[in-house]
């Protein structure tokens, strides 16, 4: 694993679930996690990172997100999984929407990058089966 990813994974709290995204040839391309989990309320937040640009836009993100949402809903019995994403990250927003996440709020112009303000978008998916 890349040293930065190992530090990230090692730093996660014990009630967080962190997974690696690995290709069939055992190449580590990123990680994702369910964090800030509250089992009693049935909620958690999702985080995902795919490192190298060459591994983006190939469907790995939506596939990994589908798997972790399925795990959260069917194994951990979660009811609500949310995430936050910045408005400039259109590729990520499309991946989340493809899996079924919907925007439920927006903090306008709350992130400054390269001389421009961007919105912070809050998205969620609800387990309709429970």
């Amino acid at each position: 694993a890349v040293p930065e990813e190992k530090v990230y994974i090692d730093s996660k709290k014990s009630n967080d679930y962190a997974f690696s995204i690995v290709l069939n040839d055992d190449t580590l391309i990123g990680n994702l996690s369910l964090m800030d989990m509250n089992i009693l309320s049935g909620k958690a937040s999702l985080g995902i990172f795919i490192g190298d640009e060459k591994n983006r836009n190939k469907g790995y993100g939506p596939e990994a997100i589908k798997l972790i949402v399925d795990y959260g809903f069917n194994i951990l019995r979660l009811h609500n999984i949310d995430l936050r994403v910045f408005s400039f990250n259109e590729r990520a927003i499309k991946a989340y929407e493809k899996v079924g996440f919907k925007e439920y709020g927006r903090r306008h112009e709350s992130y400054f990058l390269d001389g421009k303000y961007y919105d912070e978008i809050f998205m969620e998916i609800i387990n309709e089966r429970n």
Side-chain angles (χ1 to χ4, degrees):
V2 176
E4 294 83 9
E5 290 173 341
K6 182 172 178 3
V7 169
Y8 168 78
I9 291 169
D10 290 344
S11 73
K12 298 311 297 166
K13 297 178 285 197
S14 62
N15 70 335
D16 292 351
Y17 289 80
F19 300 91
S20 296
I21 303 171
V22 180
L23 300 180
N24 288 335
D25 66 0
D26 288 334
T27 302
L28 175 67
I29 64 166
N31 55 59
L32 75 162
S33 62
L34 290 173
M35 53 200 161
D36 302 324
M37 190 171 313
N38 183 321
I39 294 294
L40 185 61
S41 294
K43 66 181 182 177
S45 294
L46 175 104
I48 183 169
F49 174 75
I50 295 179
D52 195 332
E53 187 75 33
K54 73 179 182 182
N55 293 314
R56 298 179 189 165
N57 211 27
K58 294 188 174 182
Y60 301 138
E63 182 180 357
I65 294 165
K66 282 180 195 171
L67 289 170
I68 201 166
V69 166
D70 182 63
Y71 180 78
F73 285 169
N74 297 311
I75 304 300
L76 301 176
R77 300 288 184 216
L78 296 174
H79 183 68
N80 177 300
I81 300 172
D82 80 339
L83 59 88
R84 65 180 201 155
V85 60
F86 297 110
S87 57
F88 63 81
N89 197 345
E90 294 173 15
R91 183 176 10 206
I93 294 166
K94 286 179 184 170
Y96 298 136
E97 289 173 339
K98 184 176 184 178
V99 175
F101 281 84
K102 297 191 179 351
E103 181 177 331
Y104 71 88
R106 186 178 283 250
R107 187 170 185 180
H108 298 279
E109 299 182 9
S110 61
Y111 187 75
F112 188 75
L113 178 67
D114 295 331
K116 186 174 177 187
Y117 285 98
Y118 296 92
D119 294 353
E120 185 175 13
I121 300 170
F122 298 90
M123 302 179 81
E124 68 184 353
I125 189 168
I126 305 293
N127 185 353
E128 301 295 339
R129 289 177 268 163
N130 71 7

